[in-house]
Amino acid sequence: MDAKSAKAKLHAAKHKLGRDFRVFQTSIVSQTQIDASKNDDEEDDMYDFTPADYYRVLGPKKQDNVLKTRKIREAEEAARRSRITKAIIRVRFPDNHTLEVTFYPSETIQLLFDFLKQVLARPEFPFNLYTTPPKKLIKDMAQDFYSAGFAPGAIVYFSQDLPKDDNGEHESGFFLQEEIISLKGLELIAEQVEPVQPAPESSEPAVQIPSAAAKEQKAADKKAIKPKWLRM
């Protein structure tokens, strides 16, 4: 698929769902790498963060908050909030796909669940979203993304209660619709720069502009010509 077709397909999907989103494959980290990183943890006491270190770091900060009035703290919070214009939420699925959706910080988490119901392969089965670590289910649908700490961005995880087959195993397949999965990687194709076409050659003859040297030579030749009235 060329860049023009990929861009058109992405635009049509975003227009249909009313959101800016993209789909990509999540990199898989092997369990052996995770175990190796755990074994590499330092055991030296010099790296332990003691209560004395905690109070030394947070002491001045707590004192500053005490000295500030409620009005000042609210003004600073409002200024911080006004600088954040997007809440980019990445939903990671068990099949190693990630769906990235853009919201406004003032929008509620309910809109994220509503969007997922439009793109899931089996929306009729219940599903949950949670954050980790520690694992915490997202239950307050009326909370906005900023208040939930999801702005300017956050990663949430998806789980779904799917029916089991005769062998007692969950049904296999993608969690997202095939139409959504087909958009994977198209944003990279759409961003490719098309080659610049050379300008067509003009059929009109080129106008030659005399150089400075040619002008000086012409002036010198003009001076060398004797006028008719001059007689030696």
Side-chain angles (χ1 to χ4, degrees):
M1 183 180 292
D2 59 6
K4 187 176 181 180
S5 300
K7 190 174 182 179
K9 188 174 182 179
L10 279 173
H11 178 75
K14 293 177 181 179
H15 179 73
K16 177 183 177 182
L17 296 173
R19 289 284 174 187
D20 187 13
F21 72 95
R22 68 188 185 105
V23 184
F24 57 92
Q25 192 82 22
T26 308
S27 60
I28 304 173
V29 180
S30 65
Q31 186 62 36
T32 54
Q33 290 176 324
I34 297 175
D35 295 339
S37 63
K38 289 181 179 179
N39 294 332
D40 291 339
D41 291 342
E42 295 288 346
E43 298 180 357
D44 201 327
D45 293 340
M46 67 178 295
Y47 294 102
D48 292 340
F49 197 70
T50 64
D53 296 329
Y54 176 83
Y55 286 112
R56 185 173 65 253
V57 172
L58 293 184
K61 186 175 181 180
K62 290 180 67 177
Q63 186 177 3
D64 291 342
N65 289 334
V66 172
L67 294 176
K68 290 179 181 179
T69 64
R70 179 181 177 182
K71 199 169 185 179
I72 294 176
R73 289 196 298 268
E74 290 176 351
E76 290 178 347
E77 177 65 21
R80 282 193 296 268
R81 183 162 187 162
S82 64
R83 289 194 294 266
I84 300 176
T85 58
K86 293 181 180 180
I88 300 176
I89 310 300
R90 288 185 174 183
V91 183
R92 290 191 175 176
F93 293 85
D95 58 2
N96 299 317
H97 282 96
T98 295
L99 176 68
E100 183 181 282
V101 195
T102 302
F103 296 90
Y104 290 108
S106 58
E107 292 182 308
T108 61
I109 295 176
Q110 180 64 52
L111 296 179
L112 172 60
F113 280 77
D114 294 342
F115 182 84
L116 289 175
K117 290 177 182 178
Q118 298 181 70
V119 298
L120 289 177
R122 287 158 287 194
E124 66 274 14
F125 296 109
F127 65 91
N128 293 307
L129 295 178
Y130 63 93
T131 56
T132 186
K135 185 176 180 179
K136 182 181 178 182
L137 286 176
I138 300 175
K139 297 180 179 180
D140 190 356
M141 306 297 177
Q143 192 176 29
D144 62 73
F145 290 104
Y146 183 87
S147 301
F150 292 169
I155 297 175
V156 298
Y157 296 85
F158 176 92
S159 64
Q160 190 171 27
D161 297 329
L162 297 177
K164 296 181 180 181
D165 56 20
D166 296 336
N167 297 325
E169 297 181 357
H170 290 289
E171 295 181 358
S172 59
F174 293 128
F175 290 89
L176 294 170
Q177 298 172 9
E178 292 185 3
E179 180 184 357
I180 303 300
I181 294 292
S182 67
L183 302 175
K184 181 174 58 179
L186 287 187
E187 71 277 355
L188 299 177
I189 301 176
E191 291 174 359
Q192 291 179 357
V193 180
E194 297 183 0
V196 179
Q197 299 295 334
E201 295 183 0
S202 177
S203 58
E204 298 180 359
V207 179
Q208 296 183 353
I209 301 175
S211 62
K215 290 181 179 179
E216 292 179 359
Q217 182 64 34
K218 188 175 181 180
D221 294 341
K222 190 175 182 181
K223 289 180 180 180
I225 297 174
K226 295 180 180 180
K228 294 180 179 180
W229 53 266
L230 181 62
R231 294 180 180 179
M232 298 302 295

